[in-house]
């Protein structure tokens, strides 16, 4: 007899029939288990959310007064006929993998994850399972990150170059996660002051309230000139509006996994790029799949087809999430 | 090399030239001289020749990374650049392996890879990959496959260099724009001191032409001039001074007082590139031994100077009366040179290198054989359109060996045109032994005439091959004769070329197999 699947994809997203809940649904549902608070995973309008306390703080910051039940790391919670627990994914503070167990069969939904510890987010750890649903934003072998300390050194060297020219450095970074990771990497001091855009400051504050140690730095006053030699962290869409002081210029860089390839860098407008990603690279994805011990893997987000084909060629029952099983 | 990769990224990302100058100057400041030379060379596009093909590199990387071809294809489709894709397929080097090799060392390793037999290059490439981080590998892969391009102009690079070392950016720009080999160039050569007005430009590289001249493309694209095997020099008249330089960076002015007259005859601020030839004052024949003696001798006797006077055989004109001509095509520079020499008094110790008047490769090839009678050692071929920075001299020497042989077979090619290939024989006792099958070298009119003769005199046919009476004698040039036991003659002649057709020579008067055997032992 074939067992009913632990997780299925319905019109609202990933769904657990036995527990009657969705994970990171893309439309409002009755009960949403939320891996992390980025907008493509945490959409508003659901009646109730379940998340870690860190993510809960972010959800309230982003979505306002929503009903969130918090669950501590690793604590099992029975929901209907399923047992759910949350485990660090390393993507950003509070970000979780979701473990779902039904009648002894365990599936893990990775959410977004990175395997390298960044010193700020709770470090990713593998969760043993039968089936693993993994993101693969960077699921091609050309994506291979340098250690974060190397990237930090590169950024610091660039900041010194910009400061030496009497210019102002700006790094475009997502306000939640990447910005705080950069703050953490750069707060030790550079050739000038480190400032953040108010939007980033607000996200940082929410994380601080949730108990994370995000360095506090001066906040940019919108419209006011930024001192020379400064480094400003700002959301990507706002970097152009920053006003440098005196005769200096703005030198703008981006920090993202997409900066790894020259072609992508150019397609995204050129400029200086630092390869700093909150997603797993190719070795990280492969290591994660292996560490879970899963024999079934479903891939989603990014190069899902290629990564599934690769895993299948290694003998795993692997296919794209939502794709029909191979005959 | 990772530093270079980062530098290139910064230069490409910079918003304007002022930023680029600062970025490059700052990077140069952080480097030792050996690496500075390489950075300047590479950012201005002075890259080595291709050592491996992209297809080879792709096969080696896929194999080393143990990835299926479709996954490499998918990655390439995303990255869009083969050198970069392959660079990222392999793991990062272990930090425990110590620091990655620096730029100068990496370039030396790339040179070592190019220096070995093409079949043996894989091992060197794989070793290099294991020690370089992916960003550096991408640059190395571009250098290996010849797809590396410069990112700034010589002018911009010289502005950065002048910020670092002080000095005259314009003079440095001229130097950076010229051809130069970073492996043998020192920082001092690129940064002329303020009083360095008399220092030479880099010398245009000269390489032996070791393939058929047809591989260079149409003969009309190439200027040809006689070369006498003299001492390559640059003669500089500037700031009232006069200096003659050999390629090693040594002034040789004092060795050639017989050229000092030129200091008064040439216009101020003129630079000529050429060769110094010593010759017999009566016969005009070059005296290579006298040149060697002059370079070795401590003092120059009046007798020596009289017996073997020096003349500057001019090949190129780099500056004329204060105008830098380097950006003009070679053909224009050469015209200016001829005009300059024509204006000088007839006794001046300078003459332009005699141009080869023959047009077309076959005619030039025949002229090449007559060059010895002029005292010339080889023909120098220079691309007519090349500015000085892209000027490269191809040295075309006559084939080292030749034999007289008789035509015995001719082969019909596809279609009705002239015959495709000819087989020649030498004498072995009373028999004729085929030794060479050649198709290159015969000028079109000779080929047409010979084809007509073959058609009229065919005695037998074997498929496309026509047999003819052994009466037409040709000179056949070749570079070497090696043992080939399976051939009737026991010898194989390499780099064959038909040199000339002796219509008046009798078939008795050809070389013997013994002569050829003797040549093969040389």
């Amino acid at each position: 007899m074939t067992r009913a699947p632990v997780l299925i994809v319905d019109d609202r997203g990933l769904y657990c029939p036995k527990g009657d809940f969705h994970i990171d649904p893309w439309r409002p549902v009755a009960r949403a288990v939320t891996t992390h608070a980025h907008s493509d995973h945490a959409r508003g309008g659901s009646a109730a959310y379940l998340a870690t306390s860190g993510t809960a703080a972010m959800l309230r910051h982003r979505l306002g007064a929503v009903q969130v039940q918090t669950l501590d790391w690793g604590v099992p919670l029975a929901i209907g006929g399923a047992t759910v627990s949350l485990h660090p994914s390393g993507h950003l503070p509070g970000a979780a993998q979701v473990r779902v167990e039904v009648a002894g069969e365990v599936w893990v939904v990775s959410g977004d994850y990175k395997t390298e510890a960044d010193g700020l987010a709770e470090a990713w750890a593998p969760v043993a399972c039968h089936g693993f649903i993994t993101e693969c934003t960077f699921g091609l072998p050309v994506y291979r990150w340098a250690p974060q300390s190397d990237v930090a050194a590169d950024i610091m060297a660039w900041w010194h170059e910009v400061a030496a020219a009497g210019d102002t450095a700006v790094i475009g970074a997502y306000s939640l996660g990447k910005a705080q990771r950069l703050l953490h990497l750069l707060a030790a001091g550079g050739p000038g002051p480190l400032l953040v855009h108010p939007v980033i400051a607000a996200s940082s504050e929410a994380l601080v309230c949730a108990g994370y140690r995000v360095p506090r730095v001066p906040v940019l006053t919108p419209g006011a000139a930024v001192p020379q030699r400064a480094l400003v962290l700002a959301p990507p869409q706002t970097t152009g509006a920053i006003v440098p002081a005196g005769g200096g210029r703005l030198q703008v860089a981006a920090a993202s996994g997409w900066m790894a390839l020259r072609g992508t860098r150019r397609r995204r407008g050129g400029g200086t790029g630092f390869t700093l990603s909150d997603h797993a690279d190719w070795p990280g994805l492969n290591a994660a799949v292996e560490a879970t011990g899963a024999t079934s893997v479903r891939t989603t987000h990014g190069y899902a087809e290629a990564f599934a084909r690769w895993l299948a060629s290694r003998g795993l029952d692997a296919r794209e999430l939502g794709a029909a099983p191979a005959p | 090399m990772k530093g270079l990769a980062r530098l290139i990224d910064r230069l490409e990302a910079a918003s304007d030239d002022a930023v680029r100058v600062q970025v490059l100057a700052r990077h140069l400041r952080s480097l030792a001289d050996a690496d500075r030379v390489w950075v300047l060379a590479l950012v201005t596009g002075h890259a080595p020749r291709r050592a491996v093909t992209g297809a080879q590199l792709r096969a080696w990387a896929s194999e080393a990374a143990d990835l299926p071809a479709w996954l490499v294809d998918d990655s390439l489709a995303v990255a869009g650049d083969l050198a970069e894709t392959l660079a990222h397929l392999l793991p990062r080097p272990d930090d425990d392996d110590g620091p990655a090799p620096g730029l100068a060392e990496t370039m030396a390793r790339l040179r070592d890879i190019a220096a070995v037999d093409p079949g043996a290059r894989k091992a060197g490439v794989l070793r290099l990959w294991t020690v370089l981080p992916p960003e550096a590998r991408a640059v190395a892969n571009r250098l290996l496959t010849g797809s590396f391009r410069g990112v700034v102009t010589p002018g911009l690079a010289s502005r950065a260099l002048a910020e670092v070392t002080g000095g005259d950016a314009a003079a440095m720009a001229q130097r950076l724009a010229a051809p130069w080999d970073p492996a043998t160039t020192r920082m001092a050569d690129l940064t002329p001191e303020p009083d360095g007005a008399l220092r030479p430009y880099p010398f245009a590289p000269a390489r032996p032409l070791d393939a058929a001249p047809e591989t260079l493309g149409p003969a009309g694209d190439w200027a040809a001039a006689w070369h006498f095997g003299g001492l390559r020099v640059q003669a500089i008249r500037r700031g009232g001074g006069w200096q003659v330089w050999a390629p090693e960076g040594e002034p040789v002015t004092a060795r050639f007082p017989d050229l000092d007259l030129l200091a008064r005859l040439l216009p101020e601020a003129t630079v000529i590139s050429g060769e110094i030839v010593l010759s017999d004052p009566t016969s005009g024949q070059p005296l290579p031994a006298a040149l060697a003696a002059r370079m070795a001798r401590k003092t120059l006797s009046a007798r020596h100077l009289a017996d073997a006077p020096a003349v500057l055989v001019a090949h190129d004109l780099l500056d004329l009366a204060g105008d830098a001509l380097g950006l003009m095509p070679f053909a224009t520079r050469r015209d200016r040179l001829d005009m300059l020499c024509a204006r000088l008094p007839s006794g001046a110790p300078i003459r332009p290198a005699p141009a080869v008047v023959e047009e077309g490769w076959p005619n030039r090839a025949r002229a090449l054989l007559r060059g010895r009678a002029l005292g010339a050692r080889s023909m120098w071929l220079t691309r007519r359109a090349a500015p000085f920075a892209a000027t490269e001299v191809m040295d075309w020497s006559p084939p080292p060996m030749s034999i007289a042989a008789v035509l015995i077979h001719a082969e019909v090619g596809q279609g009705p045109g002239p015959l495709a290939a000819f087989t020649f024989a030498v004498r072995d006792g009373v028999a004729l032994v085929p030794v060479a099958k050649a198709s290159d070298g015969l000028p079109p009119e000779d080929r047409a005439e010979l084809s007509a003769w073959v058609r009229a005199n065919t005695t037998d046919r074997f498929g496309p091959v026509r047999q003819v009476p052994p009466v037409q004698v040709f000179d056949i040039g070749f570079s070497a004769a090696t043992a080939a036991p399976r051939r009737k003659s026991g010898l194989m002649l390499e780099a064959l070329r038909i040199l000339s057709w002796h219509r008046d020579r009798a078939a008795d008067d050809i070389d013997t197999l013994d002569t050829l055997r003797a040549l093969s032992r040389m």
Side-chain angles (χ1 to χ4, degrees):
Chain A
M1 154 193 155
T2 317
R3 295 211 279 182
V6 174
L7 295 166
I8 60 170
V9 178
D10 70 9
D11 60 346
R12 292 162 194 196
L14 201 56
Y15 177 67
C16 175
K18 277 286 180 196
D20 188 22
F21 60 86
H22 286 81
I23 300 174
D24 290 352
W26 52 74
R27 282 192 211 150
V29 296
R31 187 159 205 185
V33 178
T34 301
T35 60
H36 65 286
H38 280 154
S39 56
D40 52 337
H41 291 258
R43 288 177 174 80
S46 289
Y49 295 85
L50 176 71
T52 65
S53 57
T55 297
M58 294 297 101
L59 286 177
R60 292 193 189 99
H61 169 66
R62 277 202 44 241
L63 303 177
V66 289
Q67 194 201 325
V68 190
Q69 179 186 352
T70 64
L71 182 60
D72 286 342
W73 295 115
V75 175
L77 173 72
I79 308 179
T83 305
V84 172
S85 58
L86 302 176
H87 307 265
S89 82
H91 180 58
L92 66 116
Q97 309 176 69
V98 182
R99 180 186 186 276
V100 183
E101 181 174 348
V102 173
E105 183 177 350
V106 178
W107 279 73
V108 168
V109 178
S110 75
D112 288 346
Y113 69 105
K114 72 168 177 290
T115 53
E116 184 189 23
D118 66 12
L120 182 62
E122 297 85 352
W124 173 88
V127 181
C129 55
H130 301 102
F132 186 44
I133 299 176
T134 179
E135 63 125 332
C136 45
T137 308
F138 294 105
L140 284 175
V142 276
Y143 295 109
R144 203 175 283 277
W145 311 146
Q148 141 174 315
S149 55
D150 288 10
V151 183
D154 280 359
I155 296 175
M156 200 53 92
W158 173 73
W159 184 4
H160 276 274
E161 276 170 31
V162 175
D167 292 345
T168 299
V170 180
I171 298 180
Y174 295 120
S175 58
L176 174 59
K178 188 65 61 64
Q180 288 75 29
R181 186 176 175 194
L182 285 166
L183 272 175
H184 183 72
L185 288 175
L186 301 173
L194 180 61
L195 292 88
V196 295
H197 190 277
V199 171
I200 292 175
S203 289
S204 296
E205 207 47 43
L207 282 173
V208 169
C209 291
Y212 294 98
R213 298 167 61 154
V214 180
R216 280 206 162 91
V217 300
V219 180
L220 179 74
T221 312
V226 178
Q228 289 181 347
R229 308 174 66 83
L231 171 61
V232 183
L233 302 180
Q237 64 276 18
T238 68
T239 55
I242 293 169
V243 186
R249 288 161 303 190
L250 280 191
Q251 293 197 36
V252 182
S256 155
W258 297 112
M259 295 296 122
L261 297 173
R262 197 179 180 201
T264 334
R265 232 169 20 241
R266 286 189 172 166
R267 281 197 292 281
R268 294 187 179 224
T272 304
F274 300 104
T275 309
L276 187 73
S277 177
D278 292 324
H279 295 269
D281 61 358
W282 174 262
L285 291 169
N286 279 281
V289 167
E290 190 176 342
T292 62
T295 50
S296 294
V297 180
R298 301 293 176 264
T299 60
T300 181
H301 293 116
Y303 300 104
E305 190 190 344
F307 190 50
R309 186 175 168 195
W310 160 253
L311 293 174
S313 77
R314 316 277 285 180
L316 292 173
D317 159 36
R319 60 177 182 266
E320 215 177 329
L321 180 65
Chain B
M1 174 140 288
K2 188 178 175 207
L4 175 69
R6 192 190 293 136
L7 173 70
I8 291 171
D9 283 348
R10 293 277 203 288
L11 291 172
E12 286 183 339
S15 50
D16 58 57
D17 279 356
V19 174
R20 284 186 194 98
V21 168
Q22 281 164 358
V23 166
L24 182 54
R26 189 183 169 82
H27 187 73
L28 290 172
R29 272 195 201 98
S30 71
L31 298 176
D33 273 1
D35 283 350
R36 280 183 182 177
V37 170
W38 275 112
V39 164
L40 288 166
L42 294 172
V43 296
T44 56
H46 289 75
R49 289 166 179 284
R50 183 175 86 176
V52 301
T53 66
Q56 284 174 315
L57 217 53
R58 181 179 182 150
W60 300 343
S62 310
E63 185 191 327
D66 196 17
L67 291 172
W70 67 264
L71 193 49
V72 177
D73 290 344
D74 278 15
S75 299
L76 178 57
V78 168
D81 177 283
L82 183 67
E84 189 183 19
T85 303
L86 302 182
H88 286 80
L89 292 183
L90 297 167
R92 293 185 162 269
D94 224 324
D95 283 346
D96 305 340
D97 297 343
L103 181 56
E105 192 198 328
T106 306
M107 295 309 299
R109 290 173 77 155
L110 290 171
R111 201 164 55 244
D112 291 346
I113 289 169
V116 301
D117 190 66
R121 290 177 186 167
K122 179 180 174 184
V125 171
L126 292 180
R127 268 199 306 279
L128 189 60
W129 279 344
T130 61
V131 296
L132 293 179
E135 303 78 25
R137 266 183 228 144
V139 176
N141 288 349
R142 287 192 187 101
L143 289 167
L144 281 166
T145 54
S147 61
F148 185 89
R149 299 287 173 266
V151 283
V152 299
T153 63
L156 192 146
S158 68
R159 277 162 64 194
L161 182 56
E163 269 197 22
V164 176
T165 63
D168 177 13
M172 292 177 194
Q174 285 190 352
R175 230 140 270 214
L176 289 173
W180 52 285
D181 179 3
T184 56
T185 302
R186 296 158 307 163
M187 216 37 217
D189 302 327
L190 297 174
T191 50
E193 293 117 45
D195 60 347
L198 290 170
R199 290 201 48 97
Y201 289 100
F203 281 70
R207 292 196 302 124
L209 176 65
D210 42 21
E214 285 82 359
T215 58
L216 297 176
D221 290 353
W222 293 80
W226 293 110
H227 168 237
F228 297 88
L231 175 69
R232 286 195 77 187
V233 292
Q234 268 180 47
I236 299 172
R237 157 84 184 152
R238 195 181 273 143
W242 169 247
Q243 196 77 283
V244 181
W245 295 87
E248 291 73 28
E250 291 304 310
V252 293
T253 322
R255 300 272 101 193
F256 300 100
D258 23 11
L259 298 183
D260 288 351
L261 180 60
L262 291 174
R264 280 184 280 130
L265 296 176
L266 292 173
E268 160 64 16
T270 294
V271 180
I272 293 171
S273 163
E275 56 178 326
I276 293 179
V277 178
L278 269 53
S279 34
D280 185 301
T282 44
S283 72
Q285 275 296 314
L287 301 169
L291 180 61
R294 170 122 39 142
M295 296 308 287
R297 220 170 265 188
K298 228 182 209 146
T299 56
L300 301 172
S301 66
R303 168 87 186 270
H304 174 89
L305 293 176
D307 284 353
V311 62
L312 176 60
V313 177
H315 285 266
D316 201 349
L317 182 60
L318 310 183
D319 284 2
L320 175 61
D323 289 337
L325 307 187
L327 292 177
M328 297 177 179
F330 174 76
T332 309
R333 304 202 302 273
R334 177 65 213 226
D335 286 345
R336 301 273 174 100
L337 176 66
D338 289 342
M339 286 191 283
L340 170 67
C341 290
R343 285 204 307 269
L344 297 175
S346 62
I350 183 172
R351 61 186 161 97
V356 176
V357 293
E358 282 79 0
E359 298 291 346
W361 293 126
N363 292 328
R364 284 180 177 180
R366 271 183 299 164
L368 189 59
L369 295 178
R370 295 195 299 273
R372 286 201 185 96
L374 304 170
R377 208 194 59 182
S378 62
M379 215 180 264
W380 269 10
L381 306 174
T382 311
R383 206 178 272 283
R384 288 189 203 275
F388 183 52
T391 294
E392 187 179 39
V393 174
M394 303 304 303
D395 184 309
W396 188 15
S397 299
M401 302 181 195
S402 72
I403 49 163
V406 66
L407 177 70
I408 54 170
H409 297 143
E411 200 167 313
V412 184
Q414 310 262 319
L419 299 168
F422 305 94
T423 304
F424 302 92
V426 294
R427 218 166 264 297
D428 185 21
V430 292
L432 289 173
V433 184
V435 290
K437 184 168 158 184
S439 51
D440 284 338
L442 211 54
E445 58 277 17
D446 280 2
R447 187 178 282 258
E449 185 187 339
L450 186 61
S451 296
W453 181 85
V454 167
R455 292 204 165 87
N457 292 278
T458 299
T459 56
D460 205 350
R461 294 183 187 205
F462 322 94
V465 177
R466 292 158 176 259
Q467 183 177 303
V468 293
V471 291
Q472 302 292 354
V473 177
F474 294 79
D475 274 342
I476 308 296
F478 56 99
S479 63
T482 52
R486 303 187 58 164
R487 295 186 180 223
K488 216 182 265 182
S489 64
L491 291 169
M492 186 180 74
L493 309 187
E494 288 169 16
L496 275 175
R497 191 172 181 87
I498 304 171
L499 299 176
S500 53
W501 183 1
H502 294 291
R503 292 178 177 77
D504 50 351
R505 197 148 149 189
D508 305 335
D509 193 14
I510 59 173
D511 282 310
T512 64
L513 193 55
D514 282 340
T515 315
L516 203 50
R517 288 198 186 108
L519 285 173
S520 78
R521 285 189 291 272
M522 279 171 68

